[in-house]
Amino acid sequence: MAGRALKPVGAPTRGTTNPNRLRRVDRWLASDAGVTRLLRRADEPLVVDLGYGASPVTTVEMARWLRSVRRDVRVLGLELDAERVAVAQACVDRPWLDFRRGGFELAGTRPVLVRAFNVLRQYDEAEVTGAWSLMLDAMAPDGLLVEGTCDEIGRLSTWVAVGHDGPRALTLSVHLASLERPSTVAERLPKILIHRNVPGERIHDLLSTLDISWATAAPHQNFGVRARWAHTVHLLTARGWPVLSRPSRWRLGELTVPWSSVAPG
């Protein structure tokens, strides 16, 4: 995991973290065909968890998930706050799991995968693409950035998959048993979309159509909330939305659409 010494770039996050807070994105990372293929074919399977917060617990959890994909995956947690890095040293298991100071420059490493969750919420929307570029410039040529946001206990989660060719897809993942309506996830949209949930924007159209479809699918609640969500997504596709995820993912409370279908106007 050695890399050239670089000055960390970025601003410290609030540091809020909880066990299993990022389990939804962890599950996706460990099962998405594109991500697993990327990890398995990498000569150097290095993954960076950027901005893990006051506790290293979510980085440790991600490492466990990814080892189910490739046993020799190496995970590096990066934080701007030196005290947080010091706390994380108790969890170090070199060369498989390590922690150090770093920001958007990725501490001089060259990972194939970067998870950056709840990092860009404090930035202005205009700064998002610049942060993406800084991270991607430091990554392997075929690397993937997964940048997103979730609530404090991980029931509402969204993320954008970004490659060197730009953003590719948006995923919404919700805890179905506690879901009142799909548009609740709007409060946890990635920074590049969170202020775009207004009439005339594509993300607003998506969430509005999801709410209508969710209400229409209410009779399927008799077969369980998973059946209701699956039918909701089926209705969404019938209304012309290009859903990328498979029905098996729908039942987990997930929905993935191409970035082009929700990109800011």
Side-chain angles (χ1 to χ4, degrees), residues 37-220:
R37 183 167 55 249
L38 175 66
L39 288 174
R40 287 169 178 154
R41 72 186 182 193
D43 293 332
E44 295 290 336
L46 173 62
V47 178
V48 163
D49 185 25
L50 180 64
Y52 55 82
S55 164
V57 62
T58 52
T59 306
V60 174
E61 291 168 348
M62 180 175 73
R64 291 173 183 161
W65 277 92
L66 295 184
R67 286 193 190 108
S68 69
V69 178
R70 182 165 173 172
R71 293 298 301 173
D72 63 342
V73 68
R74 295 179 298 137
V75 175
L76 174 63
L78 294 180
E79 255 294 342
L80 289 169
D81 189 319
E83 291 186 6
R84 294 175 187 173
V85 176
V87 168
Q89 296 308 299
C91 296
V92 165
D93 181 20
R94 297 186 181 94
W96 316 117
L97 179 63
D98 203 357
F99 299 88
R100 72 172 72 156
R101 285 197 71 212
F104 296 136
E105 83 300 332
L106 305 183
T109 63
R110 201 154 182 80
V112 295
L113 178 65
V114 172
R115 182 182 74 179
F117 249 67
N118 302 305
V119 171
L120 292 178
R121 285 183 64 84
Q122 63 189 329
Y123 290 82
D124 291 334
E125 181 184 333
E127 298 176 286
V128 171
T129 55
W132 286 356
S133 294
L134 279 173
M135 289 183 275
L136 288 163
D137 286 348
M139 295 175 66
D142 58 348
L144 183 71
L145 165 64
V146 178
E147 189 268 306
T149 307
C150 67
D151 65 353
E152 285 74 10
I153 57 175
R155 291 190 171 189
L156 301 172
S157 189
T158 71
W159 57 87
V160 184
V162 190
H164 286 275
D165 55 346
R168 298 172 180 173
L170 171 73
T171 297
L172 312 178
S173 183
V174 297
H175 181 252
L176 293 173
S178 59
L179 185 68
E180 293 186 9
R181 63 183 185 278
S183 62
T184 304
V185 81
E187 64 195 51
R188 297 296 170 172
L189 286 170
K191 186 66 178 189
I192 200 166
L193 290 176
I194 196 167
H195 301 301
R196 300 288 182 153
N197 186 32
V198 294
E201 291 281 356
R202 297 183 184 98
I203 187 62
H204 182 270
D205 293 342
L206 172 63
L207 295 180
S208 297
T209 307
L210 267 174
D211 277 354
I212 293 170
S213 299
W214 177 252
T216 303
H220 288 260

Side-chain angles (χ1 to χ4, degrees), residues 169-172 206 209-210 213 229-250 254-259 261:
L170 171 73
T171 297
L172 312 178
L206 172 63
T209 307
L210 267 174
S213 299
W229 178 259
H231 191 67
T232 296
V233 181
H234 173 74
L235 291 173
L236 187 72
T237 63
R239 290 180 166 96
W241 284 89
V243 176
L244 298 177
S245 48
R246 304 183 306 276
S248 61
R249 309 303 301 183
W250 305 350
E254 286 183 13
L255 168 66
T256 300
V257 296
W259 179 253
S261 68

Side-chain angles (χ1 to χ4, degrees), residues 5-28:
L6 294 175
K7 183 179 179 180
V9 177
T13 63
R14 290 172 53 203
T16 305
T17 188
N18 287 298
N20 290 319
R21 185 184 185 189
L22 302 184
R23 64 191 178 279
R24 294 188 171 278
V25 67
D26 282 342
R27 180 180 62 194
W28 181 82

